[in-house]
Amino acid sequence: MAIAAPKSSASADTAFGLFWRRFRKHRLAVASLVFIGLLILMAVFAPFIAPYSPTAQPTGEDLASKYFQGPSREHWLGTDDLGRDVLSRIIYGARVSLLVGFMAAISGVLLGTILGTLAGYFSGRPFRFYLGPLNRREGGWQPPLFVAWRVASWVLFYGLLLGAAQLVWTLGGDDIRAGLGGDWSFANVLSLVASSLAWAAIAWAAVWGLRGSFRLDLDIAISRVIDFMLTIPELPLLLVLSALLRDPGASVGQWIQGVFGESTSVFIIISILVIFGWTGSARLVRGAILSLREQEFTTAAQALGASEARVMFRHLVPNTIAPIIVNVTLGVGGAIVTEAALSFLGFGIQPPVATWGNMLTNAQEYIFSAPWLALAPGFMIFLTVLAFNYLGDGLRDALDPRSRL
């Protein structure tokens, strides 16, 4: 008599099934995932969900009675000092807050992953990243492809140098000339120092590029940059950079506003958060790559002739995907809080664009007379950040191979 084999769930035999069984045991993480999904849907379909326009102000007679209305059937969360519907502004504010959070977190983690991978893989091995036009290869004859690579790299390298020089002069030219003319304002001095350093780097690269190939330990260079970034007080520098980039009198401010128009403040906030948000991911990925590059599968891939780029991004990076995903979820919450803090201080996204941060800025003057203006955006920031943190905890436990089922 044949004994039937026990039936097993199809999902249990897959990696996703194993992940889901672990993840759903974290009830707070599941609830957070549902809340974030609903929040994303609310942001996407904001024009169809919001009862009013976020910038619409009341018209007609007796306007005073339409300002600072408390929660009612017509306005569920009341109205603000200009008579705008608070619920509609909360819904549209989710768009900007989630956009800033996801873009800043994903861009920062992507940049940190690339730099951390390069630092960990090439640690202790100087990396040759440019073959100069005067570099000589041993032996008389050079293959045509090698010659073509030398010519292409020479054109690309010096083309980038000329582009960098033009960009430096375009962004800081007016401030440099003003500073040399005696107008030693903070913006002019900062632009003069930054431009001087940039020109020195361009000149050094041009001279040493002619001599041959650069050999640099990327781990040392990237790690020292990370150490330097971590010593900088983040919030004061965020305020300075935000004010400088938004200043229409500075060349860089004029250039950014001319390119991005009404989205200038959103671009500035995302850029600043990316500049300071990649260091944690880079250190995390670097440590993982340092361990993984000594494993047998890395040696086997190298022995089979796989290129260094394939080894790094096809074999090593996928094995660090679990902490990267967790870092993204935690980074979204941190970016939302930072954007709200900058907007609250008046250096973030400016009205009339609705964000939860600048809604708090407008509400602080009426905290006792109209408390609903502060409670709604503050509560949304609290719930959203808490949900992303719980989601990160659940993903960390579910993606950890050492965790129990």
Side-chain angles (χ1 to χ4, degrees), residues 106-167:
I106 293 174
S107 301
V109 169
L110 181 61
L111 178 61
T113 299
I114 295 174
L115 294 178
T117 300
L118 293 175
Y121 187 78
F122 290 103
S123 178
R125 296 187 297 160
F127 176 63
R128 176 175 294 179
F129 61 91
Y130 169 69
L131 294 177
L134 299 185
N135 186 61
R136 293 291 182 266
R137 187 183 181 189
E138 294 182 1
W141 180 80
Q142 296 180 353
L145 288 179
F146 181 78
V147 176
W149 161 248
R150 284 179 54 191
V151 174
S153 62
W154 182 82
V155 173
L156 176 63
F157 181 76
Y158 286 98
L160 290 176
L161 286 184
L162 291 176
Q166 178 63 35
L167 182 63

Side-chain angles (χ1 to χ4, degrees), residues 345-359:
L345 296 174
F347 291 90
I349 299 173
Q350 302 298 308
V353 178
T355 70
W356 296 337
N358 62 30
M359 290 179 68

Side-chain angles (χ1 to χ4, degrees), residues 74-89:
E74 185 179 4
H75 301 282
W76 289 6
L77 296 179
T79 60
D80 61 7
D81 56 325
L82 298 178
R84 298 171 296 190
D85 183 65
V86 175
L87 176 60
S88 300
R89 293 182 64 79

Side-chain angles (χ1 to χ4, degrees), residues 92-102 104 234-235 238-239 242 246 265-273 331-351 353-361 377 381 384-385:
Y92 275 89
R95 280 185 153 188
V96 179
S97 296
L98 290 179
L99 174 66
V100 171
F102 278 113
E234 186 173 339
L235 184 58
L238 286 175
L239 298 178
S242 179
R246 191 175 289 106
S265 57
V266 178
F267 169 78
I268 291 173
I269 292 297
I270 293 176
S271 301
I272 292 175
L273 293 178
V332 172
I336 291 175
V337 170
T338 304
E339 180 274 324
L342 290 175
S343 298
F344 177 77
L345 296 174
F347 291 90
I349 299 173
Q350 302 298 308
V353 178
T355 70
W356 296 337
N358 62 30
M359 290 179 68
L360 287 175
T361 303
I381 293 173
T384 303
V385 175

Side-chain angles (χ1 to χ4, degrees), residues 65-309:
S65 63
K66 300 179 181 180
Y67 301 148
F68 296 112
Q69 289 186 10
S72 62
R73 295 180 61 181
E74 185 179 4
H75 301 282
W76 289 6
L77 296 179
T79 60
D80 61 7
D81 56 325
L82 298 178
R84 298 171 296 190
D85 183 65
V86 175
L87 176 60
S88 300
R89 293 182 64 79
I90 287 290
I91 294 174
Y92 275 89
R95 280 185 153 188
V96 179
S97 296
L98 290 179
L99 174 66
V100 171
F102 278 113
M103 289 296 295
I106 293 174
S107 301
V109 169
L110 181 61
L111 178 61
T113 299
I114 295 174
L115 294 178
T117 300
L118 293 175
Y121 187 78
F122 290 103
S123 178
R125 296 187 297 160
F127 176 63
R128 176 175 294 179
F129 61 91
Y130 169 69
L131 294 177
L134 299 185
N135 186 61
R136 293 291 182 266
R137 187 183 181 189
E138 294 182 1
W141 180 80
Q142 296 180 353
L145 288 179
F146 181 78
V147 176
W149 161 248
R150 284 179 54 191
V151 174
S153 62
W154 182 82
V155 173
L156 176 63
F157 181 76
Y158 286 98
L160 290 176
L161 286 184
L162 291 176
Q166 178 63 35
L167 182 63
V168 169
W169 185 250
T170 300
L171 296 182
D174 294 340
D175 296 333
I176 294 171
R177 288 186 288 271
L180 295 176
D183 183 9
W184 296 102
S185 63
F186 176 79
N188 293 339
V189 171
L190 183 62
S191 180
L192 181 60
V193 172
S195 300
S196 300
L197 295 176
W199 280 109
I202 291 171
W204 178 85
V207 172
W208 283 93
L210 286 170
R211 294 187 58 180
S213 61
F214 290 92
R215 294 180 63 85
L216 178 67
D217 192 328
L218 290 181
D219 185 29
I220 294 178
I222 295 174
S223 297
R224 296 297 79 78
V225 172
I226 293 174
D227 294 338
F228 172 74
M229 296 284 290
L230 293 177
T231 61
I232 300 175
E234 186 173 339
L235 184 58
L237 191 57
L238 286 175
L239 298 178
V240 172
L241 285 177
S242 179
L244 178 62
L245 295 176
R246 191 175 289 106
D247 184 8
S251 299
V252 61
Q254 295 176 358
W255 178 77
I256 292 177
Q257 292 179 12
V259 172
F260 294 96
E262 296 181 355
S263 304
T264 298
S265 57
V266 178
F267 169 78
I268 291 173
I269 292 297
I270 293 176
S271 301
I272 292 175
L273 293 178
V274 171
I275 291 173
F276 292 94
W278 63 271
T279 53
S281 301
R283 297 184 70 179
L284 180 68
V285 174
R286 173 187 174 273
I289 296 297
L290 281 173
S291 175
L292 291 172
R293 74 171 187 173
E294 305 300 332
Q295 301 293 327
E296 288 80 3
F297 71 90
T298 305
T299 305
Q302 294 171 341
L304 291 173
S307 63
E308 292 177 332

